[in-house]
Amino acid sequence: QSPDVIHLSCIASRTGRRLMGVDTEGARDGIYLADESDEAKEYRAEEVAELLNAGTINPLVVGFNCWDSGARLAAMTVVAGAV
């Protein structure tokens, strides 16, 4: 069953790269999340949108709580199917 509401608390790509001491040049809109092994992994906005809309029914509300988020994060999520 797919959730109607999704809330993400995350770190945006640029901020995450700065915190991890990685060069921010060329950073694209996206976020850092923990992967299967609890390591920080950067996900581009397109990947995030695809993951959030992977259920059988697209979510009605998606909230992003992240500092310095890219403008494309929410837009790509809607384009991928969120209402």
Side-chain angles (χ1 to χ4, degrees):
Q1 191 173 36
S2 303
D4 290 331
V5 177
I6 299 173
H7 177 259
L8 288 174
S9 290
C10 50
I11 295 176
S13 292
R14 288 168 190 81
T15 302
R17 284 183 178 203
R18 277 194 299 271
L19 291 171
M20 295 175 63
V22 177
D23 186 13
T24 60
E25 177 121 5
R28 302 203 42 196
D29 291 347
I31 59 175
Y32 271 90
L33 295 171
D35 65 11
E36 298 83 19
S37 60
D38 280 342
E39 296 294 321
K41 181 179 176 191
E42 187 175 0
Y43 291 86
R44 290 178 43 193
E46 297 86 352
E47 293 174 292
V48 174
E50 188 176 306
L51 291 169
L52 293 174
N53 288 285
T56 54
I57 299 173
N58 294 339
L60 298 174
V61 176
V62 177
F64 293 96
N65 180 20
C66 53
W67 180 262
D68 194 25
S69 64
R72 297 183 61 214
L73 197 54
M76 294 304 294
T77 302
V78 172
V79 166
V83 178

Coordinates of all heavy atoms in Angstrom, one line a residue:
Q1 N 0.8 -1.2 0.0 CA 0.0 0.0 0.0 C 0.9 1.2 0.0 O 1.9 1.3 0.7 CB -0.9 0.0 1.2 CG -2.0 1.0 1.2 CD -3.0 0.8 2.3 OE1 -2.6 0.5 3.4 NE2 -4.2 1.1 2.0
S2 N 0.5 2.2 -0.8 CA 1.3 3.5 -0.9 C 0.8 4.5 0.1 O -0.4 4.7 0.3 CB 1.1 4.0 -2.3 OG 1.5 3.0 -3.3
P3 N 1.8 5.3 0.7 CA 1.3 6.3 1.6 C 0.7 7.5 0.9 O 1.1 7.9 -0.3 CB 2.6 6.7 2.3 CG 3.7 6.4 1.3 CD 3.2 5.2 0.5
D4 N -0.2 8.2 1.5 CA -0.8 9.4 1.0 C 0.1 10.6 1.3 O 0.1 11.6 0.5 CB -2.2 9.7 1.6 CG -3.2 8.7 1.1 OD1 -3.1 8.2 -0.1 OD2 -4.2 8.4 1.8
V5 N 0.8 10.6 2.4 CA 1.6 11.7 2.8 C 3.0 11.2 3.1 O 3.2 10.2 3.8 CB 1.0 12.4 4.1 CG1 1.9 13.5 4.6 CG2 -0.4 12.9 3.9
I6 N 4.0 11.9 2.6 CA 5.4 11.6 2.9 C 6.1 12.9 3.3 O 5.9 13.9 2.7 CB 6.1 11.1 1.6 CG1 5.4 9.8 1.1 CG2 7.6 10.9 1.8 CD1 5.9 9.4 -0.3
H7 N 6.8 12.7 4.4 CA 7.6 13.9 5.0 C 9.1 13.4 5.0 O 9.4 12.4 5.7 CB 7.1 14.3 6.4 CG 7.9 15.4 6.9 ND1 8.9 15.1 7.9 CD2 7.9 16.7 6.7 CE1 9.4 16.3 8.2 NE2 8.9 17.2 7.5
L8 N 9.9 14.2 4.4 CA 11.4 13.9 4.4 C 12.1 14.9 5.2 O 12.0 16.1 5.0 CB 11.9 13.9 3.0 CG 11.6 12.7 2.1 CD1 12.1 13.0 0.7 CD2 12.1 11.5 2.6
S9 N 12.9 14.5 6.1 CA 13.9 15.4 6.8 C 15.2 14.9 6.3 O 15.6 13.8 6.5 CB 13.8 15.2 8.3 OG 12.6 15.7 8.8
C10 N 15.9 15.8 5.7 CA 17.2 15.4 5.0 C 18.1 16.6 4.8 O 17.8 17.7 5.3 CB 16.8 14.9 3.6 SG 15.7 16.0 2.6
I11 N 19.3 16.3 4.3 CA 20.3 17.3 4.0 C 20.4 17.5 2.5 O 20.6 16.5 1.8 CB 21.6 16.9 4.6 CG1 21.5 16.9 6.2 CG2 22.7 17.9 4.2 CD1 22.7 16.4 6.9
A12 N 20.3 18.7 2.0 CA 20.5 18.9 0.6 C 21.9 18.6 0.1 O 22.8 18.7 0.9 CB 20.1 20.4 0.3
S13 N 22.0 18.4 -1.2 CA 23.3 17.9 -1.7 C 24.5 18.9 -1.4 O 25.5 18.5 -1.0 CB 23.2 17.8 -3.2 OG 22.4 16.7 -3.5
R14 N 24.2 20.2 -1.7 CA 25.3 21.2 -1.5 C 25.8 21.2 0.0 O 26.9 21.2 0.3 CB 24.9 22.5 -2.0 CG 24.8 22.6 -3.5 CD 24.2 23.9 -4.0 NE 23.9 23.9 -5.4 CZ 22.9 23.2 -5.9 NH1 22.0 22.6 -5.2 NH2 22.7 23.2 -7.3
T15 N 24.8 21.2 0.9 CA 25.1 21.3 2.3 C 25.8 20.0 2.7 O 26.8 20.0 3.5 CB 23.8 21.5 3.2 OG1 23.2 22.7 2.7 CG2 24.1 21.6 4.6
G16 N 25.3 18.9 2.3 CA 25.9 17.6 2.6 C 27.3 17.5 2.1 O 28.2 17.0 2.9
R17 N 27.6 17.9 0.9 CA 28.9 17.9 0.4 C 29.9 18.8 1.3 O 31.0 18.4 1.6 CB 29.0 18.4 -1.0 CG 28.5 17.4 -2.0 CD 28.6 17.8 -3.4 NE 28.2 16.8 -4.4 CZ 28.6 16.8 -5.6 NH1 29.4 17.7 -6.1 NH2 28.1 15.9 -6.4
R18 N 29.4 20.0 1.7 CA 30.2 20.8 2.5 C 30.5 20.2 3.9 O 31.6 20.2 4.3 CB 29.5 22.2 2.8 CG 29.7 23.2 1.6 CD 29.3 24.6 2.1 NE 27.8 24.7 2.4 CZ 26.9 24.9 1.6 NH1 27.1 25.1 0.3 NH2 25.6 25.0 2.0
L19 N 29.5 19.5 4.5 CA 29.6 18.9 5.8 C 30.6 17.7 5.7 O 31.3 17.4 6.6 CB 28.3 18.4 6.3 CG 27.3 19.5 6.7 CD1 25.9 18.9 7.1 CD2 27.9 20.3 8.0
M20 N 30.6 17.0 4.5 CA 31.4 15.8 4.4 C 32.8 16.2 3.8 O 33.6 15.3 3.5 CB 30.7 14.8 3.5 CG 29.5 14.3 4.2 SD 28.5 13.2 3.1 CE 29.6 11.9 2.9
G21 N 33.1 17.5 3.5 CA 34.3 17.9 3.0 C 34.5 17.6 1.5 O 35.7 17.4 1.1
V22 N 33.4 17.4 0.8 CA 33.5 17.1 -0.6 C 33.3 18.4 -1.4 O 32.5 19.3 -1.0 CB 32.4 16.1 -1.0 CG1 32.4 15.8 -2.5 CG2 32.6 14.8 -0.2
D23 N 33.9 18.5 -2.5 CA 33.8 19.7 -3.4 C 32.4 19.9 -3.8 O 31.7 19.0 -4.3 CB 34.7 19.5 -4.6 CG 34.8 20.8 -5.5 OD1 34.3 21.9 -5.1 OD2 35.3 20.6 -6.6
T24 N 31.9 21.1 -3.7 CA 30.5 21.4 -4.0 C 30.3 21.8 -5.5 O 29.2 22.0 -6.0 CB 29.9 22.5 -3.1 OG1 30.7 23.7 -3.3 CG2 29.9 22.1 -1.7
E25 N 31.4 22.0 -6.2 CA 31.4 22.4 -7.6 C 30.7 21.3 -8.4 O 31.0 20.1 -8.2 CB 32.8 22.6 -8.2 CG 32.8 23.0 -9.6 CD 33.4 24.3 -9.9 OE1 33.9 24.9 -9.0 OE2 33.4 24.7 -11.0
G26 N 29.7 21.7 -9.2 CA 29.0 20.7 -10.0 C 27.9 20.0 -9.3 O 27.3 19.1 -9.8
A27 N 27.7 20.3 -8.0 CA 26.6 19.7 -7.3 C 25.3 20.0 -7.9 O 25.0 21.1 -8.3 CB 26.6 20.2 -5.8
R28 N 24.4 19.0 -8.0 CA 23.1 19.1 -8.6 C 22.1 19.1 -7.5 O 22.3 18.6 -6.4 CB 22.9 18.0 -9.7 CG 24.0 18.1 -10.7 CD 23.7 17.5 -12.0 NE 22.4 17.8 -12.6 CZ 21.9 17.1 -13.5 NH1 22.6 16.1 -14.1 NH2 20.7 17.4 -14.0
D29 N 20.9 19.5 -7.9 CA 19.8 19.5 -6.9 C 19.5 18.1 -6.4 O 19.5 17.2 -7.3 CB 18.5 20.1 -7.5 CG 18.6 21.6 -7.7 OD1 19.5 22.2 -7.2 OD2 17.7 22.1 -8.4
G30 N 19.4 17.9 -5.2 CA 19.2 16.6 -4.6 C 19.4 16.6 -3.1 O 19.5 17.6 -2.5
I31 N 19.4 15.4 -2.5 CA 19.5 15.3 -1.1 C 20.5 14.1 -0.7 O 20.7 13.2 -1.5 CB 18.2 15.0 -0.4 CG1 17.5 13.8 -1.0 CG2 17.3 16.3 -0.6 CD1 16.2 13.4 -0.3
Y32 N 20.9 14.1 0.6 CA 21.6 13.0 1.1 C 20.6 12.2 2.0 O 19.9 12.8 2.8 CB 22.8 13.4 2.0 CG 24.0 13.6 1.2 CD1 24.3 14.9 0.7 CD2 24.9 12.6 1.1 CE1 25.5 15.0 -0.1 CE2 26.1 12.8 0.4 CZ 26.4 14.0 -0.2 OH 27.6 14.2 -0.9
L33 N 20.7 10.9 1.8 CA 19.9 9.9 2.7 C 20.8 8.8 3.1 O 21.9 8.6 2.4 CB 18.7 9.4 1.9 CG 17.6 10.4 1.5 CD1 16.6 9.7 0.6 CD2 16.9 10.9 2.7
A34 N 20.5 8.0 4.1 CA 21.2 6.9 4.4 C 20.9 5.7 3.4 O 19.7 5.5 3.1 CB 20.9 6.4 5.8
D35 N 21.9 5.0 3.0 CA 21.7 3.9 2.1 C 21.4 2.6 2.9 O 21.3 2.7 4.1 CB 22.8 3.7 1.1 CG 24.1 3.3 1.7 OD1 24.2 3.0 2.9 OD2 25.1 3.4 1.0
E36 N 21.4 1.5 2.3 CA 21.1 0.2 3.0 C 22.1 -0.1 4.1 O 21.8 -0.8 5.0 CB 21.1 -1.0 2.0 CG 20.0 -0.8 0.9 CD 20.5 0.0 -0.3 OE1 21.7 0.3 -0.5 OE2 19.6 0.5 -1.0
S37 N 23.3 0.4 4.0 CA 24.4 0.1 5.0 C 24.5 1.3 5.9 O 25.6 1.4 6.6 CB 25.7 -0.2 4.3 OG 26.1 0.8 3.5
D38 N 23.5 2.2 6.0 CA 23.6 3.4 6.8 C 24.7 4.4 6.5 O 25.1 5.2 7.3 CB 23.7 3.0 8.3 CG 22.3 2.6 8.9 OD1 21.3 2.9 8.2 OD2 22.3 2.0 9.9
E39 N 25.2 4.3 5.3 CA 26.2 5.3 4.8 C 25.4 6.4 4.1 O 24.4 6.2 3.5 CB 27.1 4.6 3.8 CG 28.0 3.5 4.4 CD 29.0 4.1 5.5 OE1 29.5 5.2 5.3 OE2 29.1 3.4 6.5
A40 N 26.0 7.6 4.2 CA 25.4 8.8 3.5 C 25.5 8.6 2.0 O 26.6 8.3 1.5 CB 26.1 10.1 3.9
K41 N 24.4 8.7 1.3 CA 24.4 8.6 -0.2 C 23.7 9.8 -0.8 O 22.6 10.2 -0.3 CB 23.8 7.3 -0.6 CG 23.8 7.2 -2.1 CD 23.1 5.9 -2.6 CE 23.1 5.9 -4.1 NZ 22.3 4.8 -4.6
E42 N 24.3 10.4 -1.8 CA 23.7 11.5 -2.5 C 22.7 11.0 -3.6 O 23.1 10.2 -4.4 CB 24.7 12.4 -3.1 CG 24.2 13.7 -3.7 CD 25.4 14.5 -4.2 OE1 26.5 14.2 -4.1 OE2 25.1 15.6 -4.7
Y43 N 21.5 11.5 -3.6 CA 20.5 11.2 -4.6 C 20.1 12.5 -5.3 O 19.8 13.5 -4.7 CB 19.2 10.6 -3.9 CG 19.4 9.3 -3.3 CD1 19.9 9.1 -2.0 CD2 19.1 8.1 -4.0 CE1 20.0 7.9 -1.4 CE2 19.3 6.9 -3.4 CZ 19.7 6.8 -2.1 OH 19.9 5.5 -1.5
R44 N 20.1 12.4 -6.6 CA 19.7 13.6 -7.5 C 18.2 13.7 -7.4 O 17.5 12.8 -7.1 CB 20.2 13.3 -8.9 CG 21.7 13.5 -9.0 CD 22.2 13.2 -10.4 NE 21.4 13.9 -11.4 CZ 21.6 13.6 -12.7 NH1 22.4 12.7 -13.1 NH2 20.8 14.2 -13.6
A45 N 17.7 14.9 -7.7 CA 16.3 15.3 -7.6 C 15.5 14.3 -8.4 O 14.4 13.9 -8.0 CB 16.1 16.7 -8.1
E46 N 16.0 13.9 -9.6 CA 15.2 12.9 -10.4 C 15.1 11.6 -9.7 O 14.0 10.9 -9.8 CB 15.9 12.8 -11.8 CG 16.0 14.0 -12.6 CD 17.2 14.9 -12.3 OE1 17.9 14.7 -11.3 OE2 17.3 15.9 -13.1
E47 N 16.1 11.1 -9.1 CA 16.1 9.9 -8.3 C 15.1 9.9 -7.2 O 14.4 9.0 -6.9 CB 17.5 9.5 -7.8 CG 18.5 9.2 -8.9 CD 19.9 9.0 -8.3 OE1 20.4 9.9 -7.8 OE2 20.3 7.8 -8.3
V48 N 15.2 11.0 -6.4 CA 14.3 11.2 -5.3 C 12.8 11.2 -5.8 O 12.0 10.5 -5.2 CB 14.6 12.5 -4.6 CG1 13.5 12.8 -3.5 CG2 16.0 12.5 -4.0
A49 N 12.5 11.9 -6.8 CA 11.2 11.9 -7.4 C 10.7 10.5 -7.8 O 9.6 10.1 -7.5 CB 11.1 12.8 -8.6
E50 N 11.6 9.8 -8.4 CA 11.2 8.4 -8.8 C 10.9 7.5 -7.6 O 10.0 6.8 -7.6 CB 12.3 7.8 -9.7 CG 12.0 6.5 -10.3 CD 13.2 6.0 -11.2 OE1 13.6 6.8 -12.1 OE2 13.6 4.9 -11.0
L51 N 11.8 7.6 -6.6 CA 11.6 6.8 -5.4 C 10.3 7.2 -4.6 O 9.6 6.3 -4.2 CB 12.8 7.0 -4.4 CG 14.1 6.4 -4.9 CD1 15.3 6.9 -4.0 CD2 14.1 4.9 -4.9
L52 N 10.0 8.5 -4.5 CA 8.8 8.9 -3.8 C 7.5 8.5 -4.6 O 6.5 8.4 -3.9 CB 8.8 10.4 -3.6 CG 9.9 10.9 -2.7 CD1 9.9 12.4 -2.6 CD2 9.7 10.3 -1.3
N53 N 7.6 8.3 -5.8 CA 6.4 7.9 -6.6 C 6.4 6.5 -7.1 O 5.8 6.1 -8.1 CB 6.3 8.9 -7.8 CG 5.9 10.3 -7.4 OD1 4.8 10.5 -7.1 ND2 6.9 11.2 -7.4
A54 N 7.2 5.7 -6.4 CA 7.3 4.3 -6.8 C 6.2 3.4 -6.4 O 6.1 2.2 -6.9 CB 8.6 3.7 -6.2
G55 N 5.3 3.9 -5.6 CA 4.2 3.0 -5.1 C 3.1 2.9 -6.2 O 3.2 3.4 -7.3
T56 N 2.1 2.1 -5.9 CA 1.0 1.8 -6.9 C 0.2 3.1 -7.0 O -0.4 3.3 -8.1 CB 0.2 0.6 -6.5 OG1 -0.3 0.9 -5.1 CG2 1.0 -0.6 -6.5
I57 N 0.0 3.9 -6.0 CA -0.7 5.1 -6.0 C 0.3 6.2 -5.6 O 1.0 6.1 -4.6 CB -1.9 5.1 -5.1 CG1 -2.9 4.0 -5.5 CG2 -2.6 6.5 -5.1 CD1 -4.0 3.8 -4.5
N58 N 0.3 7.3 -6.4 CA 1.2 8.4 -6.1 C 0.8 9.2 -4.8 O -0.4 9.3 -4.5 CB 1.3 9.4 -7.2 CG 2.0 8.7 -8.4 OD1 2.7 7.8 -8.3 ND2 1.7 9.3 -9.6
P59 N 1.7 9.7 -4.0 CA 1.3 10.4 -2.8 C 0.6 11.7 -3.1 O 0.7 12.3 -4.2 CB 2.7 10.8 -2.2 CG 3.7 10.7 -3.3 CD 3.1 9.7 -4.3
L60 N -0.3 12.1 -2.2 CA -1.1 13.3 -2.3 C -0.3 14.5 -1.8 O -0.4 15.6 -2.3 CB -2.4 13.2 -1.5 CG -3.3 12.2 -1.9 CD1 -4.5 12.1 -1.0 CD2 -3.8 12.4 -3.4
V61 N 0.6 14.3 -0.8 CA 1.4 15.4 -0.2 C 2.8 14.9 0.0 O 3.0 13.8 0.6 CB 0.8 15.9 1.2 CG1 1.7 16.9 1.8 CG2 -0.6 16.4 1.0
V62 N 3.8 15.6 -0.4 CA 5.2 15.3 -0.1 C 5.8 16.6 0.5 O 5.7 17.7 -0.1 CB 6.0 14.9 -1.4 CG1 7.4 14.7 -1.0 CG2 5.4 13.7 -2.0
G63 N 6.3 16.5 1.7 CA 7.0 17.6 2.3 C 8.5 17.4 2.5 O 8.9 16.3 2.8
F64 N 9.2 18.4 2.1 CA 10.7 18.4 2.2 C 11.1 19.3 3.3 O 10.8 20.5 3.3 CB 11.4 18.8 0.9 CG 11.1 17.8 -0.2 CD1 10.1 18.1 -1.1 CD2 11.9 16.7 -0.4 CE1 9.9 17.2 -2.2 CE2 11.7 15.8 -1.4 CZ 10.7 16.1 -2.3
N65 N 11.8 18.8 4.3 CA 12.4 19.6 5.4 C 13.9 19.5 5.3 O 14.5 18.6 5.9 CB 11.9 19.1 6.7 CG 12.4 19.9 7.9 OD1 12.9 21.0 7.7 ND2 12.4 19.3 9.1
C66 N 14.5 20.3 4.4 CA 15.9 20.3 4.3 C 16.5 21.7 4.0 O 15.9 22.5 3.4 CB 16.3 19.4 3.1 SG 15.5 19.6 1.6
W67 N 17.6 21.9 4.6 CA 18.3 23.2 4.5 C 18.9 23.3 3.1 O 19.6 22.4 2.6 CB 19.4 23.3 5.6 CG 20.1 24.6 5.6 CD1 21.3 24.8 5.0 CD2 19.7 25.8 6.1 NE1 21.7 26.1 5.2 CE2 20.7 26.8 5.9 CE3 18.6 26.2 6.8 CZ2 20.6 28.1 6.3 CZ3 18.5 27.5 7.2 CH2 19.5 28.4 6.9
D68 N 18.8 24.5 2.5 CA 19.5 24.8 1.2 C 19.1 23.8 0.1 O 19.9 23.4 -0.7 CB 21.0 24.7 1.4 CG 21.8 25.3 0.3 OD1 21.3 26.2 -0.4 OD2 23.0 24.9 0.1
S69 N 17.8 23.5 0.1 CA 17.3 22.6 -0.9 C 17.3 23.2 -2.3 O 17.1 24.4 -2.5 CB 15.9 22.0 -0.6 OG 15.0 23.1 -0.6
G70 N 17.5 22.4 -3.3 CA 17.4 22.9 -4.7 C 16.0 23.1 -5.2 O 15.1 22.4 -4.7
A71 N 15.8 24.0 -6.1 CA 14.5 24.3 -6.6 C 13.9 23.2 -7.3 O 12.6 23.1 -7.4 CB 14.6 25.5 -7.5
R72 N 14.6 22.3 -7.9 CA 14.1 21.2 -8.7 C 13.6 20.0 -7.9 O 12.8 19.2 -8.4 CB 15.1 20.7 -9.7 CG 15.6 21.8 -10.6 CD 16.6 21.3 -11.7 NE 15.9 20.2 -12.4 CZ 16.6 19.2 -12.9 NH1 17.9 19.0 -12.7 NH2 16.0 18.3 -13.6
L73 N 13.9 20.0 -6.6 CA 13.5 18.8 -5.8 C 12.0 18.6 -5.8 O 11.5 17.5 -6.1 CB 14.1 19.0 -4.4 CG 14.1 17.8 -3.5 CD1 14.9 16.7 -4.1 CD2 14.8 18.2 -2.2
A74 N 11.2 19.6 -5.4 CA 9.8 19.5 -5.3 C 9.2 19.4 -6.7 O 8.3 18.6 -7.0 CB 9.2 20.7 -4.6
A75 N 9.7 20.2 -7.6 CA 9.2 20.2 -9.0 C 9.3 18.9 -9.7 O 8.3 18.4 -10.3 CB 9.9 21.3 -9.8
M76 N 10.4 18.2 -9.5 CA 10.6 16.9 -10.1 C 9.7 15.9 -9.5 O 9.3 14.9 -10.2 CB 12.1 16.5 -10.0 CG 13.1 17.3 -10.8 SD 12.7 17.4 -12.6 CE 13.0 15.8 -13.1
T77 N 9.4 16.0 -8.2 CA 8.5 15.1 -7.5 C 7.1 15.2 -8.1 O 6.4 14.2 -8.3 CB 8.6 15.3 -6.0 OG1 9.9 15.2 -5.6 CG2 7.7 14.4 -5.3
V78 N 6.7 16.4 -8.4 CA 5.3 16.6 -9.0 C 5.3 16.1 -10.4 O 4.4 15.4 -10.8 CB 4.9 18.1 -8.9 CG1 3.6 18.3 -9.7 CG2 4.7 18.5 -7.4
V79 N 6.4 16.3 -11.2 CA 6.4 15.9 -12.5 C 6.4 14.3 -12.6 O 5.8 13.7 -13.5 CB 7.7 16.4 -13.2 CG1 8.0 15.6 -14.5 CG2 7.6 17.9 -13.5
A80 N 7.0 13.7 -11.6 CA 7.0 12.2 -11.5 C 5.7 11.6 -11.1 O 5.5 10.4 -11.2 CB 8.1 11.7 -10.6
G81 N 4.7 12.5 -10.6 CA 3.4 11.9 -10.4 C 2.7 12.4 -9.1 O 1.5 12.1 -8.9
A82 N 3.5 12.9 -8.1 CA 2.8 13.3 -6.9 C 1.8 14.4 -7.2 O 2.0 15.3 -8.1 CB 3.9 13.9 -5.9
V83 N 0.7 14.4 -6.5 CA -0.3 15.3 -6.7 C -0.1 16.7 -6.1 O 0.5 16.9 -5.1 CB -1.7 14.8 -6.2 CG1 -2.8 15.8 -6.4 CG2 -2.0 13.5 -6.8

